[in-house]
Amino acid sequence: MSPPTNPRSLLTPAMRGLLDRIDRAGHPPLHALSPDQAKAAYLAGAPVLDIPLHKLTRVQDLRIPTRDGATLPARLLAPALDVALPVLLFFHGGGFTVGSVASHEPLCRHLAHLAHCAVLSVDYRLAPASKFPTAVDDAWDALAWLREQANELGLDGRRIAVGGDSAGGTLAAVTAITARDEGWPLALQMLFYPGCAGHQDTHSHKTFARGFLLEEAHITWFFSQYLRTQADRDDWRFAPLDGVDGTGHVRELDDVAPAWIGLAECDPLTDEGVMYADRLRHAGVPVALEIYAGMVHGFINFGRAIPQALTAHNDAARALRRAFHPERT
């Protein structure tokens, strides 16, 4: 089937109306701002379309030490105090440049509630102050710390999942590969529209390059903030789909954690997400793939306006429950 002449016809009416309202608001795009301005604008806009914060029994701010002596702010969210819950280690999206624990707290609280698990959301260091591979190292250090501290935190360290959206999905996917290398079992990798490829050359990148919220200009700007050189695009820690390791080989995906992958149909990153799911399946990894029709990148944070956001929350939470409690399936 050939693609539609007007790709915007793929959008749901609610999503089309939302994008029209965003266009009429006339806010400057993030790529036209300085990094500090972009961070502030993203944080200010995050609550506008997202759901209210779900009340939880446990909300605890923590500090995670890193290999180079820094400490990362993190927030532990849980629906109960009297039981050792499994835990999702979550990395927020934002092109490695914007976003925070605060911007994604509605999502993380809702997942904790729906999946009846703890969520540890991490403020990994952002570009341009911290270039690649700092965020990758921070993500791995967060997992190592969580494994060591789970019992002290009253969590079940035998049942840990990693997850994230967009750039955070990239970090989760890379962390899952490294965990496989280290022999650290993970229950699930939960990936919302992860960045997987090193170059913006797929059909979906071309089809949805403009007019679908995340535009080619945004992606290029984010990567220019994060990457040290163009060579970093071909590093598997940036591009788990097709990047290579120090020996020039694409990383094998055998025996990495099972994956739940949620993609938006009208998103530049859709094709690489599908290709990553295919690579995982070919490696024998169990994969559940959902593609949300008529949605754009970032839709899971639009729960006030877009009902499919809540559908995706429930789908991801169901995958977490099944991964954390395989005996019940």
Side-chain angles (χ1 to χ4, degrees):
M1 182 181 296
S2 60
T5 304
N6 176 15
R8 283 180 71 91
S9 66
L10 296 171
L11 297 169
T12 67
M15 183 60 80
R16 192 179 308 119
L18 175 60
L19 295 184
D20 289 342
R21 292 195 297 276
I22 291 173
D23 287 342
R24 288 196 298 270
H27 297 299
L30 294 183
H31 61 79
L33 304 175
S34 72
D36 286 343
Q37 290 171 331
K39 286 175 170 62
Y42 186 88
L43 183 59
V48 174
L49 296 172
D50 217 335
I51 58 176
L53 294 178
H54 196 92
K55 292 184 178 179
L56 293 173
T57 303
R58 184 178 186 182
V59 179
Q60 182 178 357
D61 288 332
L62 300 166
R63 306 287 295 189
I64 298 175
T66 66
R67 66 190 67 186
D68 60 355
T71 57
L72 309 175
R75 185 161 295 159
L76 180 62
L77 308 164
L81 285 170
D82 56 351
V83 60
L85 293 173
V87 57
L88 167 67
L89 179 64
F90 185 86
F91 308 111
H92 67 79
F96 307 101
T97 307
V98 303
S100 64
V101 165
S103 67
H104 284 63
E105 187 160 357
L107 169 64
C108 289
R109 283 177 177 250
H110 202 209
L111 289 173
H113 166 69
L114 293 171
H116 198 70
C117 70
V119 176
L120 180 63
S121 182
V122 180
D123 263 330
Y124 57 91
R125 286 172 285 181
L126 297 176
S130 298
K131 296 280 191 177
F132 173 86
T134 303
V136 177
D137 293 342
D138 286 353
W140 179 251
D141 291 347
L143 176 59
W145 180 86
L146 175 58
R147 282 172 51 89
E148 292 176 356
Q149 299 297 317
N151 288 341
E152 185 173 331
L153 291 169
L155 304 172
D156 186 350
R158 299 166 300 174
R159 293 182 293 168
I160 296 175
V162 294
D165 66 308
S166 193
T170 308
L171 296 176
V174 170
T175 299
I177 295 171
T178 309
R180 183 274 316 272
D181 295 344
E182 294 296 318
W184 293 2
L186 294 172
L188 187 73
Q189 48 180 321
M190 183 201 74
L191 313 177
F192 287 111
Y193 32 75
C196 298
H199 300 272
Q200 297 140 246
D201 54 7
T202 64
H203 178 73
S204 62
H205 271 290
K206 297 178 176 68
T207 302
F208 305 114
R210 293 190 62 188
F212 296 86
L213 200 62
L214 178 67
E215 301 190 337
E216 190 279 334
H218 290 105
I219 299 171
T220 297
W221 183 79
F222 283 137
F223 292 173
S224 73
Q225 303 300 315
Y226 178 54
L227 299 176
R228 300 164 300 184
T229 69
Q230 284 296 104
D232 286 339
R233 283 181 173 268
D234 297 315
D235 189 308
W236 75 273
R237 297 169 297 172
F238 175 72
L241 171 67
D242 52 12
V244 298
D245 60 20
T247 67
H249 294 94
V250 174
R251 294 303 307 273
E252 298 298 331
L253 300 178
D254 307 66
D255 300 319
V256 302
W260 181 90
I261 303 175
L263 306 177
E265 180 186 22
C266 303
D267 180 354
L269 304 188
T270 299
D271 286 351
E272 62 198 74
V274 171
M275 288 188 284
Y276 194 63
D278 286 343
R279 274 207 66 208
L280 288 166
R281 286 193 182 111
H282 290 157
V285 176
V287 177
L289 174 64
E290 299 283 350
I291 302 177
Y292 296 91
M295 294 294 101
V296 302
H297 194 88
F299 81 96
I300 59 167
N301 302 108
F302 302 164
R304 289 183 193 266
I306 303 297
Q308 287 86 347
L310 303 182
T311 301
H313 293 190
N314 277 279
D315 291 342
R318 187 180 307 111
L320 286 167
R321 291 196 304 270
R322 289 173 175 170
F324 287 143
H325 304 284
E327 73 282 357
R328 299 179 186 176
T329 59

